Amino acid sequence: MKDIELKTTIKECQLEELSAEERHLVEMAIEGTNRSYAPYSRFNVGAALLLNNGAEFIGCNQENAAFPAGLCAERSAIFAAGAQYPDVPVKMIAIAARTPNGELQAAPVSPCGTCRQVLIETETRFKQAIRILLYGRNCVYVIDGIKSLMPLSFTEFQ
């Protein structure tokens, strides 16, 4: 038996250290938290997506009393973009969240497993890594591709 070591590098920075394009996308994700419908969890999540052609999309979580009927912010943004620009790769996504008391989350929030799988499928489909910005009031995590969060991911090519 042998151990296999998997390593991930995530950059941590402050909002002002991001490029203007990245800061704009984070600000859009923060705006998305105000648009979410989260009466059950009161955990409002916003996502903002930038496509290679410059098109931008905001997504937000949408809850439902029948919990499986809801949708996460990341997937709502990705699916909206795919409906309008089915052949354009995703360049970057930013994600932000508000706590149940309405304040922006202090620490960055990462995508759920289902959203991670959708991001993997999107990267695989377009053969391009998606830059991921996870916003928290205290710092921003910058991740160059979803496989950094899911190194043993499932794709159709396995």
Side-chain angles (χ1 to χ4, degrees):
M1 180 185 317
K2 68 177 182 175
D3 291 337
I4 299 172
E5 186 174 328
L6 303 173
K7 291 186 177 185
T8 295
T9 301
I10 296 174
K11 295 178 183 86
E12 181 180 305
C13 64
Q14 297 301 308
L15 186 62
E16 54 274 2
E17 295 178 279
L18 298 175
S19 71
E21 180 179 62
E22 291 168 332
R23 279 193 312 274
H24 172 69
L25 208 63
V26 167
E27 289 164 3
M28 288 178 61
I30 292 169
E31 171 58 29
T33 67
N34 294 320
R35 299 179 185 191
S36 98
Y37 177 70
Y40 305 103
S41 70
R42 297 186 333 116
F43 189 70
N44 303 83
V45 182
L49 201 68
L50 175 65
L51 301 184
N52 278 4
N53 68 359
E56 300 172 331
F57 292 85
I58 291 179
C60 54
N61 59 323
Q62 300 293 309
E63 293 181 349
N64 191 288
F67 287 114
L71 190 62
C72 295
E74 300 91 329
R75 285 180 284 148
S76 71
I78 290 169
F79 296 158
Q84 294 190 35
Y85 296 98
D87 298 322
V88 180
V90 176
K91 179 178 180 180
M92 189 171 8
I93 188 170
I95 303 162
R98 290 190 183 279
T99 62
N101 69 5
E103 294 181 15
L104 284 169
Q105 186 78 18
V109 175
S110 66
C112 73
T114 303
C115 289
R116 290 177 191 212
Q117 186 61 45
V118 168
L119 286 162
I120 288 166
E121 184 74 19
T122 304
E123 284 189 357
T124 301
R125 175 182 177 188
F126 293 111
K127 297 174 180 60
Q128 175 181 310
I130 298 169
R131 189 167 182 87
I132 302 165
L133 308 171
L134 305 178
Y135 172 80
R137 279 191 337 264
N138 296 340
C139 66
V140 179
Y141 293 162
V142 180
I143 304 160
D144 289 322
I146 190 64
K147 291 183 180 169
S148 292
L149 294 179
M150 292 203 34
L152 299 176
S153 59
F154 176 81
T155 66
E156 71 171 297
F157 304 109
Q158 290 185 333

